[in-house]
Amino acid sequence: MQSWSLLRSALVCCLALVLAGCASRSVPTDAASSGIPHLRKQGTATQLIVDGKPFLALTGELGNNSATSLEYMKPIWPKLVAANMNSVLAGVSWAQIEPAEGKFDFSVVDGVIQEARNHKLRLILIWFASWKNGLSSYPPDWVKKDFERFPRVRTQWGKPLELLTPFSDANRDADAHAFAALMRHVREIDGQQHTVVMIQVENEVGVLRDSRDHSPAANKAFEGSVPKELMDYLQQHKDSLIPEFREVWKAAGFKTSGTWAQVFGQGRPEQFQIPIRVDSPPYKQEDLESWRKFHWPVDEIFMAWHYALYVNKVAEAGKKEYNIPMFVNVWLQQPNFPWPGVYPSGGAQPQVIDIWQAGAPSIDILAPDLYLQYFAEVSARFNRNGNPLFIPETRGGSEGAAKVLYAVGQHNAIGFSPFGIDRTVATDTELPRAYDLLSQLMPLILEHQGKGTMAAVLLAPDDPPRKVQLGNYTLEASYLRPRAVAGTTAGQQPLPSAAAIFISTGPDEYYAAGSGVSVTFSPSTPGSEYAGLGTVEEGKFVSGRWVPGRRLAGDDTGQGLNLSLRNLGIQRFTLYRYR
């Protein structure tokens, strides 16, 4: 019996080892287990995970060519740190790393990564390759000069543009080969340190000067059938498609096969010539007012699908070498860019998110370059269908300070990045203050993302009050006009936007952070008629611990009737009920 027990134990151990070995082979080392940057869901939010912990990117984007010179960057790095940034977006151009076909030079890239690491900053690299701002100025000369091998987009009138066509395998494969080499190199020099946390693939892709590509290959594809894989995707996701897109498909009869025009309607009228910018006719006032709508949807949908396929192949090649999060950025449709071709046609606009998600599954985030005054609206349009919000380009200053609070608090933004930060970092005082506040709050924010316990408001001076239901109370936030400053005249300076984040940390306890906002409260659950302010205190977080400052009442709380976030800061407050 004893021999059998020993034999049975040995067999069990052997079997366990075999199963463990099989498991380890069938479940390859992935991003989560290896510690490399990756995305992870928490409730309704998506978080960027770096070294096993959630990371909120308080960042800025350098000028397009700033990171091509290590000497130029020397005085910039300390300024970024002083501005309370934890990361920076820096461009890497295809021409820079592959000046001759198959010959790579990563010396400047290595220097940028090392300097970021020295200054304890994370890096988000931008791959300026086939396209930048809808044109092709960043490919190497050996690509630009060989227009037979690397063909361009053509307009309806036959004019070639300095714009690589997405309908060329040679264009795509050369780009993908270079990007794979870059990602392989980043893994080799940074795979353990994780200085580089995300990659932007291309920049503001799409066709300019026409609503679609009219090169021979493009025309052939347009006259053919919509690919089965796209139609299958649309049918599988029919009930959850972006409403603007679904209406276009519905208007054409929800066809499940046919040519592009049969399935999605007619394209741009032949007689309509695309202006470079809408500052003069042929635009009409109604065009400016209808900028949120599809114009000639089939052209934009057709181009979106083919750009998505191209970018996906590039991203896929890079992820095979080093699988970290990747995103694309978007030059937005807007009032003075209402038509596709005036803004890049085929980019990941909010109305074609479904097309990009179908065609580019290797792209993790579709990200708006958000300079528009309609910040809240556009943020909401991008934060749909599981697409996380990341803002790679925007403005800084007081407007940026307000909008980063809103993006993080209301839409669980992964990051926020004013453009040209090397030119503005020395003079911008408001954004660093907002970044400092968010750095203090970061553990609390990351803990509450996606759980329904955090919200935010963004208010212009003339906006009506906004109601937010959070926890057991309804918060009504109003714009709080700044006090007059001696020696200034009313109306001398435009009033800034105001914003605040609210976090519910208990049944009657909240933290609020922001400026320019006044808040009143009412119960949102049965049991009493009124809500009153209990304890209100200013303070700050030090190493994640709340350190109270002044205790507020009386004049600073409207005699207990409202919370006043007049200056940028954090307040902790409690509420109670009474009848």
Side-chain angles (χ1 to χ4, degrees):
M1 287 293 290
Q2 187 176 14
S3 298
W4 166 243
S5 296
L6 290 171
L7 179 60
R8 183 175 59 186
S9 297
L11 289 170
V12 168
C13 289
C14 288
L15 180 59
L17 288 170
V18 169
L19 290 173
C22 291
S24 67
R25 287 192 298 271
S26 62
V27 182
T29 302
D30 61 8
S33 61
S34 65
I36 69 171
H38 61 281
L39 299 179
R40 183 177 72 193
K41 292 288 288 184
Q42 176 174 284
T44 59
T46 299
Q47 296 180 320
L48 172 61
I49 308 299
V50 180
D51 291 332
K53 298 177 182 178
F55 181 78
L56 174 59
L58 304 178
T59 186
E61 182 177 332
L62 299 170
N64 299 326
N65 306 306
S66 299
T68 61
S69 168
L70 300 181
E71 188 66 27
Y72 172 86
M73 285 299 300
K74 275 184 182 179
I76 303 299
W77 296 111
K79 294 177 183 178
L80 301 177
V81 175
N84 300 317
M85 295 184 180
N86 60 16
S87 50
V88 63
L89 276 76
V92 178
S93 80
W94 183 5
Q96 172 191 336
I97 70 162
E98 194 181 10
E101 188 169 8
K103 306 293 184 182
F104 292 98
D105 178 359
F106 297 109
S107 57
V108 175
V109 174
D110 291 350
V112 169
I113 292 174
Q114 186 58 54
E115 282 302 307
R117 194 179 294 157
N118 291 344
H119 289 85
K120 296 181 171 54
L121 292 168
R122 305 288 182 173
L123 267 178
I124 298 170
L125 295 181
I126 304 171
W127 177 233
F128 290 140
S130 292
W131 303 295
K132 160 75 171 69
N133 296 101
L135 294 170
S136 298
S137 61
Y138 279 82
D141 287 352
W142 57 269
V143 171
K144 291 180 180 179
K145 292 177 180 179
D146 195 347
F147 51 85
E148 296 290 347
R149 179 182 170 195
F150 302 110
R152 298 336 194 239
V153 166
R154 288 185 178 269
T155 68
Q156 177 193 335
W157 305 277
K159 180 182 177 181
L161 303 174
E162 188 58 288
L163 173 55
L164 295 177
T165 176
F167 294 88
S168 165
D169 290 351
N171 292 352
R172 180 200 65 206
D173 293 346
D175 188 333
H177 180 260
F179 186 59
L182 172 65
M183 296 307 297
R184 181 165 57 250
H185 185 76
V186 170
R187 174 176 52 80
E188 289 168 354
I189 68 165
D190 194 52
Q192 299 301 316
Q193 294 91 339
H194 310 141
T195 308
V196 179
V197 297
M198 285 204 299
I199 303 286
Q200 178 181 300
V201 186
E202 314 296 345
N203 180 271
E204 296 183 343
V205 306
V207 175
L208 290 172
R209 314 291 190 266
D210 206 338
S211 54
R212 73 168 178 88
D213 186 358
H214 287 266
S215 64
N219 285 338
K220 182 178 179 181
F222 188 76
E223 291 160 5
S225 297
V226 179
K228 183 178 184 299
E229 57 266 36
L230 175 56
M231 295 312 311
D232 287 348
Y233 181 94
L234 297 181
Q235 290 175 74
Q236 291 163 11
H237 297 82
K238 186 175 181 180
D239 294 334
S240 60
L241 295 172
I242 296 294
E244 305 96 295
F245 173 79
R246 193 176 190 276
E247 283 302 309
V248 168
W249 189 25
K250 178 182 178 182
F254 282 133
K255 294 184 179 68
T256 57
S257 64
T259 66
W260 289 90
Q262 287 169 343
V263 175
F264 298 116
Q266 294 303 307
R268 176 183 55 77
E270 287 190 12
Q271 69 275 15
F272 190 100
Q273 296 197 26
I274 300 290
I276 293 175
R277 183 184 175 100
V278 182
D279 288 326
S280 59
Y283 82 88
K284 304 182 184 68
Q285 188 60 35
E286 55 264 34
D287 293 320
L288 302 184
E289 294 169 355
S290 65
W291 63 269
R292 297 171 178 85
K293 298 180 180 179
F294 264 119
H295 295 270
W296 326 310
V298 65
D299 292 353
E300 187 167 8
I301 292 167
F302 172 71
M303 292 311 305
W305 173 249
H306 288 283
Y307 273 111
L309 292 179
Y310 185 115
V311 172
N312 187 67
K313 285 291 186 181
V314 175
E316 194 174 53
K319 284 194 168 188
K320 284 179 182 177
E321 299 295 339
Y322 191 36
N323 187 6
I324 63 175
M326 297 186 184
F327 66 95
V328 297
N329 68 328
V330 185
W331 171 345
L332 292 173
Q333 180 186 23
Q334 52 198 277
N336 62 337
F337 294 91
W339 303 302
V342 180
Y343 64 87
S345 179
Q349 301 291 332
Q351 61 265 28
V352 291
I353 281 177
D354 295 302
I355 303 298
W356 270 84
Q357 289 181 330
S362 291
I363 294 297
D364 302 290
I365 305 171
L366 309 175
D369 289 349
L370 189 36
Y371 298 95
L372 296 183
Q373 65 190 83
Y374 313 100
F375 188 90
E377 175 190 340
V378 175
S379 294
R381 291 184 74 195
F382 272 88
N383 192 204
R384 297 184 289 180
N385 277 26
N387 185 56
L389 183 64
F390 176 74
I391 299 174
E393 285 190 35
T394 188
R395 292 187 176 90
S398 59
E399 287 300 308
K403 287 166 182 172
V404 66
L405 297 177
Y406 176 79
V408 170
Q410 186 63 23
H411 290 288
N412 302 304
I414 285 174
F416 185 91
S417 175
F419 177 71
I421 200 67
D422 46 317
R423 298 192 293 269
T424 62
V425 69
T427 57
D428 188 344
T429 58
E430 295 302 309
L431 188 71
R433 291 176 62 208
Y435 277 9
D436 174 59
L437 185 149
L438 287 168
S439 296
Q440 293 181 47
L441 284 167
M442 197 175 295
L444 200 61
I445 287 170
L446 294 172
E447 176 190 347
H448 284 268
Q449 280 186 335
K451 297 181 178 179
T453 51
M454 181 169 65
V457 294
L458 179 65
L459 295 164
D462 297 324
D463 283 346
R466 301 277 167 78
K467 289 187 177 182
V468 175
Q469 200 283 314
L470 196 63
N472 295 327
Y473 297 87
T474 297
L475 287 61
E476 184 169 305
S478 303
Y479 189 90
L480 182 62
R481 292 181 178 269
R483 293 190 177 107
V485 178
T488 63
T489 304
Q492 197 173 40
Q493 295 291 335
L495 293 173
S497 297
I501 293 178
F502 306 102
I503 303 174
S504 172
T505 53
D508 301 302
E509 181 187 63
Y510 295 81
Y511 287 87
S515 66
V517 176
S518 175
V519 192
T520 58
F521 309 92
S522 59
S524 59
T525 55
S528 57
E529 193 172 345
Y530 302 102
L533 268 173
T535 300
V536 181
E537 56 190 19
E538 296 175 329
K540 60 184 178 180
F541 282 92
V542 179
S543 301
R545 184 176 64 87
W546 176 247
V547 179
R550 291 193 306 161
R551 192 157 182 159
L552 305 179
D555 293 344
D556 290 313
T557 62
Q559 313 309 322
L561 297 177
N562 60 273
L563 188 81
S564 295
L565 293 165
R566 189 170 293 279
N567 300 312
L568 193 62
I570 307 172
Q571 294 183 19
R572 174 191 168 273
F573 62 95
T574 60
L575 300 173
Y576 64 92
R577 296 160 178 255
Y578 64 95
R579 286 196 288 266

